[in-house]
Amino acid sequence: MSSATLKGPATPVAGPAPKPRPPTKRSGAVGRQTAAAWILTLPFAVLFLAFTAGPVLGSLGMSFTDLKQRDLRTPFAVNGVGFDNYVKALSDETFRKAAFNTAYFVVIGVPLTLIMALAAAVLLDKGVKKFQSLFRVGYYLPVVTSIVAVAVIWRFVLAPDSGLLNTVLGWVGIDGPNWLASKTWAMPSLIMMAVWRNFGSAMIIFLAGLQGILHTVEEAGQLDGASAWQRFRYLIVPLLRPTILFTSVTTGIGYLQFFEEPFVMTQGGPLNSTISVSMYTYQQFGFGNYSLAASMSYILFVVIAVMTFIQFRLLREK
Amino acid sequence: MTTLTTRRRLVIGGAALTATALALTGCGRSADSPDSAPKATSSVGGDPATGNITIWAMGTEGENLPKLTKEFEQANPGVKVTVTPIPWDAAHNKFTTAITAQSLPDAAMVGTTWMGEFADLGALDPTPTGIDTSGFFPGALDTTKVGGTSYGVPWYVETRVVFYRKDLAAKAGITTPPTDWDGLKSMAKAMQDKAGAKYGINLQPGGTGSWQTVMPFAWSAGASITSDDDKQFTLDTPEVQEGLKYYQSFFTDKVAGTDLPPNQTEAQFVSGQVPMFISGPWMVGSIAKLGGEKMKQNIGVFQLPKNKSATSFVGGSNFVVFKGGKNKDSAWKLVKWLSDAKTQASWFKLSTDLPAVKAAWDDPSIASDPLLPVFGKQLDDAKAPPAIVNWEQVATAFDTEVEKMAKSGQSPADTAKAIQTKASSIGTGS
C-alpha cells in the first residue's frame, strides 16, 4: 500500500473514481428513475432559469441597447446600439482607471493572500500542535466578520495621527502617512486589509490539502536526505498543485470583483485611486445608465473568464 | 469530443443571443415625449379634505410628520392620513421602483435634487391653481420647477452660512464679520496666525457633495450652471473659473487643509484646530452635542461674503403629489395646509426644520433665536442647481474635478474645462 503510493504518480489527492457498474435493472425502472430525477431537479431548474439564467442573459441583451432608467416604463421600445456601450466603457477615463486599480489589487493581493495562507497553513500543520484549533479559528475569524465591523476597526488602525499603525511606526522613528487620504497609500492600505480579511479561507483549504498528503511522502524525502525547504519545494508544493489551482482561481475571481473595501473605506477616493470596476459599475447602475453598466459587468466577466482559463492552463496537472 | 459539444453549444447560445439583440434592435423607441409640458388643470378648493391620504417621508421627518398631520385630521374630520417613514439611503431606489411599478402613495416628501428626474419619469402632478407660491423663498421655489412647470411646493429649507468661533475671532482681533471675499480670506489667515488654529477654515477638498460649497462662490461671481433654457451646461465660463480660483487659493495658501480626516468638522471646530467652516443649520445642534452648551455660546454665523452677489446654496425637501395617486384632490389640500405659515411654524417647533415660507420666520421661536435669522437673510440670496435629470451624475464628476484641483494642483481653468466636458458628455437628460 505504502510502497504503491510512493512509486505512483504525484496525484494522491484525487485519484480516478472506480467506474460504476452499468444498470442491470429493467428499462421500466430506469424510466421511472429518470422521471423522478427530472421531477426532483425541476424546482431548481425553474428557479435557476427565472432568477439566474434569465437575468444574466437579459443583461447581456441589455448591454447592446441604449436602455436607461427612464425607459423602464417601456423596456421593449429601446434601440439596439451594437457595441456602442462597450466602446463607451472602454474609452471612459474613469473606467480605465478602475480597471488599472482592479488589476493592481489582483496582481499584488492574490499572491500575498496565497503566500500568507500557505505559510499559516504549514505552520498550523507542522509547528503549532498545541493550540491548533485556537489559531485556526483566529485566522478564520476575519473571514466571517462583517465588512462593516472590519471597516470600523481598520479606520482606527489607519487613522493618521493616533492610529495604531502610525503609532507603531512612530516607535521606530517612521512618520506614517495619512493612509486612506493619500493617493499612493490608499490602495496598499486596502490590499493590506483585504489580505488580512481573506487569507483565512484559503488557509483552511491549504490545511485540508496538507493533511491529505501522506506523512510517508515526507518521511521518504527525509530518508533521501532532503532538507525541510527541499521537501517543501519539491514534494509538498507539487502535491498541493490542485489545491493551489483551486485557491488561486477562487481568490482571483473574488479579488477581480473587488468592491466592499473601497465602498466602505474610501468611496473610491482619493482622486479615484481606489475605485474598482465593480464599484464604478455599481455607480453607473445608480445613475440609471443600465445598459452601460451591463456592458461594464460583461467586460469584467470576460476578464474573469480569461484569467481563470489562464490559471487552469498554468496550474493544471501535467 | 467534449470540446466539440461545448463549442457547438457556444455557437448555438451565441446565435440565440444575437437573435435577441437583433429583436431588440428591431423595435425602436416610441416617440420620445413623455407628455410634454403638462398643464395645471385642477385647482384646490376650500371644502374639507376626505378619504385616505397616503404619504411617504424620509428620516426624522417621516417619524415626526404624523404628529403634525393629526392637526390636519382634526380640521378635516373625514380624512385619514397614513405616513410611511422610509430611510434616506433607501428612498431614491424605493421611489424609482415605485414609479416604474405604478405603486406610489398620494403624496411624498422629495429631495430637491430629485425633482427633475421624477418629473422626467412622468410621476409628478403639476401644482394646481389655488396654492399661493408667492410666500416662499425664491431659491426654494425654483427647485420645484422643471422645464417651466411647477410640481409640488417647497416644504422645508436649509442654506449654508459661515460658522466661526467667536472667542477665537476675538483673539484674532476680528470684531465684525467680513462681508467680502478678501475679508473672509484674511479672517481665516488671522485665525491661523493669531488664534493658534492649524487651519483657518475647513473647506471640503473634493469628495461627495463638495460642489455644494464650491458652487456658491461661482454663483457669487456671476456664474450659472446652465444656459437659460436648461439645455446647455455653462460650467467653463470665466465666472465659474473665478469661483474655482478663489476656492483653490485657500488650499494653495494653506489656509485650508487637504489632509484633515473627513467628518471631523465639529471636533476640529470644538478643539479650535479649525475654527471656521461653511455649512447648514444642523451644525449648531451637532456642535452643542459635542462641545456642550458652553461651546454653543461661542458659535457665530455670518452670511457668505460678497463678490458680485453673496449667493449661497439652498437645499431641503419639497412636497409633491403623484399623478397616479387615488386621492389627489385631498392630497393637494394637505399640501396647501402644510405650506401655511402657521403650520410651518409649528412644524419648526416639532422638527427644527427651517420653514420654506417667509412669513413663518416672524414666529418668535425663530425670530428670537441668536443664530437662525442669519439663515433667513441668507435664504433671500440662495440658489439650487436647476432641475436636471442627470444632475447627480454631473455632481459626481464635479466633485472629482474639485478634488483634483484642491489636492493635486489642477488649475482652475483646466478644472472648469474638465467639468464642462464631462457634464456635456453626460448631458442634461432633456
Side-chain angles (χ1 to χ4, degrees):
Chain A
M1 175 58 202
S2 61
S3 65
T5 320
L6 275 176
K7 281 175 194 159
T11 56
V13 176
K19 260 195 176 164
R21 275 172 47 180
T24 49
K25 282 178 188 167
R26 281 170 293 124
S27 58
V30 174
R32 270 206 298 282
Q33 276 188 344
T34 318
W38 275 110
I39 290 167
L40 288 173
T41 33
L42 196 65
F44 165 75
V46 168
L47 288 176
F48 176 77
L49 285 177
F51 294 108
T52 306
V56 164
L57 289 179
S59 64
L60 181 56
M62 189 164 90
S63 71
F64 294 105
T65 69
D66 63 353
L67 181 84
K68 285 191 169 215
Q69 186 173 39
R70 61 189 292 187
D71 301 316
L72 278 186
R73 286 172 299 165
T74 52
F76 290 104
V78 296
N79 300 303
V81 293
F83 283 91
D84 277 12
N85 284 319
Y86 290 88
V87 174
K88 205 170 156 190
L90 291 172
S91 55
D92 182 344
E93 187 197 326
T94 316
F95 183 80
R96 286 194 295 211
K97 178 84 188 157
F100 171 81
N101 290 339
T102 310
Y104 178 8
F105 181 73
V106 169
V107 168
I108 308 288
V110 173
L112 266 182
T113 308
L114 294 186
I115 290 167
M116 280 281 289
L118 186 56
V122 169
L123 279 179
L124 285 185
D125 188 46
K126 295 271 140 52
V128 230
K129 286 278 179 243
K130 208 168 181 187
F131 300 106
Q132 205 195 33
S133 47
L134 179 73
F135 279 106
R136 197 157 27 176
V137 169
Y139 289 141
Y140 196 68
L141 212 54
V143 180
V144 290
T145 310
S146 151
I147 179 76
V148 179
V150 169
V152 173
I153 303 295
W154 274 85
R155 255 189 234 134
F156 282 123
V157 173
L158 297 169
D161 292 330
S162 52
L164 180 67
L165 187 56
N166 280 355
T167 309
V168 172
L169 286 176
W171 291 340
V172 290
I174 299 170
D175 194 12
N178 186 352
W179 295 93
L180 292 173
S182 150
K183 223 166 81 176
T184 327
W185 289 106
M187 194 53 129
S189 310
L190 294 191
I191 292 175
M192 192 154 59
M193 180 177 151
V195 169
W196 172 83
R197 195 167 105 86
N198 293 313
F199 86 89
S201 59
M203 178 201 73
I204 294 282
I205 295 162
F206 277 132
L207 200 53
L210 285 172
Q211 286 170 349
I213 294 170
L214 290 174
H215 288 290
T216 43
V217 176
E218 274 221 85
E219 277 168 28
Q222 223 160 355
L223 284 176
D224 286 344
S227 69
W229 169 250
Q230 282 171 330
R231 290 199 304 273
F232 177 74
R233 174 68 190 80
Y234 296 105
L235 288 174
I236 308 294
V237 170
L239 287 174
L240 272 180
R241 193 183 268 274
T243 318
I244 294 173
L245 172 65
F246 177 78
T247 48
S248 73
V249 166
T250 50
T251 313
I253 292 175
Y255 278 22
L256 278 166
Q257 293 171 341
F258 182 42
F259 177 83
E260 291 164 321
E261 281 83 1
F263 188 73
V264 296
M265 297 291 286
T266 59
Q267 276 83 46
L271 292 168
N272 282 341
S273 59
T274 56
I275 196 164
S276 72
V277 172
S278 296
M279 222 188 120
Y280 192 54
T281 307
Y282 173 83
Q283 244 178 37
Q284 291 302 323
F285 268 115
F287 289 143
N289 297 330
Y290 295 156
S291 51
L292 180 65
S295 73
M296 288 175 180
S297 48
Y298 271 94
I299 293 171
L300 184 62
F301 168 79
V302 169
V303 171
I304 289 176
V306 170
M307 287 286 293
T308 308
F309 179 76
I310 292 171
Q311 281 171 320
F312 267 96
R313 267 291 152 97
L314 288 178
L315 287 167
R316 75 173 169 197
E317 305 194 34
K318 282 161 188 150
Chain B
M1 184 58 210
T2 41
T3 47
L4 255 183
T5 43
T6 4
R7 194 168 295 157
R8 185 178 301 158
R9 231 177 273 145
L10 280 173
V11 169
I12 296 168
L17 285 171
T18 322
T20 325
L22 282 175
L24 283 167
T25 326
C27 37
R29 190 197 304 273
S30 59
D32 198 15
S33 56
D35 11 354
S36 48
K39 295 268 169 336
T41 44
S42 59
S43 68
V44 181
D47 47 324
T50 51
N52 288 323
I53 304 173
T54 51
I55 293 175
W56 287 356
M58 286 80 86
T60 47
E61 281 75 28
E63 288 156 31
N64 283 322
L65 192 56
K67 292 177 205 156
L68 189 69
T69 53
K70 262 200 193 94
E71 293 175 32
F72 183 70
E73 285 175 334
Q74 276 158 12
N76 299 273
V79 84
K80 191 179 177 304
V81 183
T82 316
V83 180
T84 309
I86 43 182
W88 262 112
D89 48 2
H92 186 264
N93 262 343
K94 194 172 162 72
F95 273 112
T96 47
T97 317
I99 290 170
T100 318
Q102 296 289 319
S103 59
L104 288 159
D106 294 309
M109 157 183 165
V110 160
T112 49
T113 47
W114 301 346
M115 294 296 289
E117 188 184 350
F118 293 174
D120 183 65
L121 287 167
L124 306 180
D125 204 34
T127 314
T129 54
I131 287 184
D132 178 25
T133 52
S134 62
F136 293 110
F137 288 105
L141 189 61
D142 279 346
T143 64
T144 66
K145 286 183 185 149
V146 183
T149 312
S150 170
Y151 300 92
V153 298
W155 184 30
Y156 67 81
V157 290
E158 55 93 353
T159 189
R160 314 288 158 87
V161 297
V162 186
F163 283 71
Y164 71 103
R165 278 271 298 265
K166 280 186 191 163
D167 51 341
L168 294 179
K171 218 171 166 187
I174 286 158
T175 43
T176 47
T179 52
D180 58 5
W181 280 17
D182 289 340
L184 181 68
K185 191 80 165 290
S186 48
M187 175 172 180
K189 272 210 182 99
M191 287 287 201
Q192 246 175 330
D193 299 342
K194 297 180 200 150
K198 187 177 178 196
Y199 290 111
I201 186 165
N202 202 332
L203 294 174
Q204 220 185 324
T208 309
S210 56
W211 65 272
Q212 294 175 355
T213 319
V214 178
M215 234 12 247
F217 291 115
W219 278 326
S220 297
S224 143
I225 290 176
T226 57
S227 57
D228 287 342
D229 60 359
D230 285 358
K231 295 254 190 275
Q232 303 287 323
F233 286 103
T234 54
L235 291 162
D236 195 15
T237 57
E239 291 83 13
V240 173
Q241 289 183 25
E242 195 185 343
L244 291 173
K245 203 173 157 194
Y246 181 62
Y247 198 79
Q248 190 189 35
S249 71
F250 281 94
F251 296 100
T252 43
D253 296 356
K254 307 257 181 269
V255 182
T258 56
D259 57 346
L260 293 168
N263 307 321
Q264 299 282 315
T265 312
E266 295 96 323
Q268 288 153 2
F269 185 81
V270 170
S271 73
Q273 262 194 313
V274 191
M276 282 166 80
F277 61 87
I278 297 174
S279 191
W282 60 86
M283 279 309 227
V284 179
S286 47
I287 289 169
K289 201 171 159 190
L290 192 72
E293 283 301 308
K294 217 173 171 189
M295 179 53 66
K296 204 174 167 183
Q297 311 298 318
N298 277 327
I299 305 175
V301 292
F302 58 90
Q303 280 177 256
L304 286 194
K306 194 172 168 176
N307 185 330
K308 285 198 186 70
S309 65
T311 311
S312 186
F313 172 86
V314 59
S317 285
N318 295 339
F319 222 91
V320 302
V321 171
F322 291 107
K323 215 183 242 172
K326 291 188 193 79
N327 198 2
K328 281 202 284 191
D329 208 46
S330 298
W332 277 119
K333 277 171 192 152
L334 173 66
V335 171
K336 189 181 177 180
W337 179 78
L338 285 174
S339 47
D340 187 79
K342 244 200 299 192
T343 320
Q344 290 249 307
S346 49
W347 176 240
F348 168 76
K349 281 170 220 159
L350 270 175
S351 66
T352 67
D353 283 339
L354 299 180
V357 176
K358 283 185 193 178
W361 287 71
D362 297 334
D363 191 274
S365 60
I366 300 177
S368 63
D369 188 279
L371 304 176
L372 287 179
V374 177
F375 289 91
K377 266 185 226 137
Q378 181 71 69
L379 275 163
D380 282 325
D381 190 357
K383 268 190 187 165
I388 294 166
V389 182
N390 292 339
W391 177 252
E392 293 288 328
Q393 211 171 331
V394 174
T396 306
F398 199 125
D399 290 341
T400 311
E401 295 306 320
V402 168
E403 191 176 11
K404 285 185 195 164
M405 182 178 83
K407 286 186 181 162
S408 58
Q410 177 173 265
S411 78
D414 288 348
T415 307
K417 206 168 155 194
I419 298 172
Q420 173 71 11
T421 312
K422 282 191 183 168
S424 306
S425 79
I426 292 164
T428 55
S430 56

